[in-house]
Amino acid sequence: MNTLMMRIGTGSDTHRLRPGLPLVIGGVTIRHSKGFQAHSDGDILIHAIIDALLGAMGKGDIGTHFPDTNPRWKNVKSTVMMQAVMSLLHHAGFSIVNLDCTIHAQRPKLAPHIPHMVDILAGHLKISPQQINIKAKTGEQIGFIGREEGMHAQATVLIHQEKTHPGN
Ligand code: MG
C-alpha cells in the first residue's frame, strides 16, 4: 500500500541594503543603486526558500546547515546552498508540490524580473515553473522596507514523500 506524506514549511529572511553592492534576488542579478550587505550574496528569496524546505523536512534552519563561522560557506552563492538542501530533500524521498513566495521591497520594481526568477528557481529545484508563484509588494514608504534600508522575503513550500510499505 502506498501512503502519501505531505509536509509544509515556511521561511523568511531580511537583509540590509547598502549603496554600491550587488542586488541578487531569486538568483537574478538586478541593476540597482543598492545591494545586500551579507555573508553570502544575501539572496533573501533563496534564503527564505532554504528555510522553508528545511522546515518542511523538520531539519532545522539555514544557520545550522550553513554557519557563517564556516569559511566553506563564505561568499558562496545561495543557489549552491539551495542545491545542497535539494539533495537532502531528494535523499529523504521528498519532492516539491508547490512553492509560494512574497518579496517585500520598495524599489526597484521587481515584477519585470519575476519570470526570470521563476525559471532559475525551477531549474535548481527540478520542478516546473507552474509549481512556483512569486509575488512582490512595496513597503508603502514606511518602516525599514519603505525607507529602502532593507528587503524581506517569505516562502511557503509543500513537499510530499511517497512511502511504500512492503507486504501491504
Ligand atoms: Mg539571509
Side-chain angles (χ1 to χ4, degrees):
M1 190 184 98
N2 290 336
T3 57
L4 186 67
M5 176 159 69
M6 302 193 98
R7 297 177 61 111
I8 194 165
T10 68
S12 69
D13 196 34
T14 301
H15 277 290
R16 189 186 289 268
L17 289 163
R18 282 277 182 264
L21 292 175
L23 181 66
V24 183
I25 307 177
V28 177
T29 303
I30 297 167
R31 280 173 69 95
H32 190 48
S33 56
K34 294 177 178 180
F36 294 125
Q37 183 181 40
H39 182 69
S40 64
D41 56 22
D43 191 324
I44 48 169
L45 181 57
I46 291 186
H47 294 178
I49 293 168
I50 287 173
D51 262 356
L53 290 167
L54 291 171
M57 285 189 281
K59 287 194 183 298
D61 65 21
I62 192 168
T64 53
H65 289 264
F66 309 101
D68 57 12
T69 49
N70 185 341
R72 183 180 167 197
W73 302 115
K74 187 159 177 69
N75 298 324
V76 75
K77 283 176 93 172
S78 296
T79 47
V80 173
M81 293 193 278
M82 187 165 65
Q83 275 170 342
V85 172
M86 283 310 292
S87 50
L88 274 180
L89 190 95
H90 289 143
H91 199 72
F94 283 109
S95 56
I96 294 172
V97 178
N98 75 304
L99 169 68
D100 185 30
C101 310
T102 307
I103 309 161
H104 300 265
Q106 186 64 42
R107 276 191 330 125
K109 265 210 174 316
L110 296 180
H113 301 284
I114 286 178
H116 193 189
M117 292 179 197
V118 168
D119 280 346
I120 287 181
L121 292 172
H124 286 292
L125 299 171
K126 311 233 182 323
I127 55 179
S128 80
Q130 288 73 33
Q131 290 167 279
I132 302 175
N133 191 70
I134 302 175
K135 309 177 291 295
K137 302 187 83 72
T138 72
E140 293 288 335
Q141 280 148 2
I142 53 170
F144 76 92
I145 293 160
R147 291 190 298 267
E148 301 179 40
E149 294 167 3
M151 293 183 186
H152 180 72
Q154 299 162 318
T156 303
V157 70
L158 185 67
I159 61 173
H160 72 112
Q161 178 190 51
E162 231 173 89
K163 268 195 169 171
T164 303
H165 299 287
N168 286 339

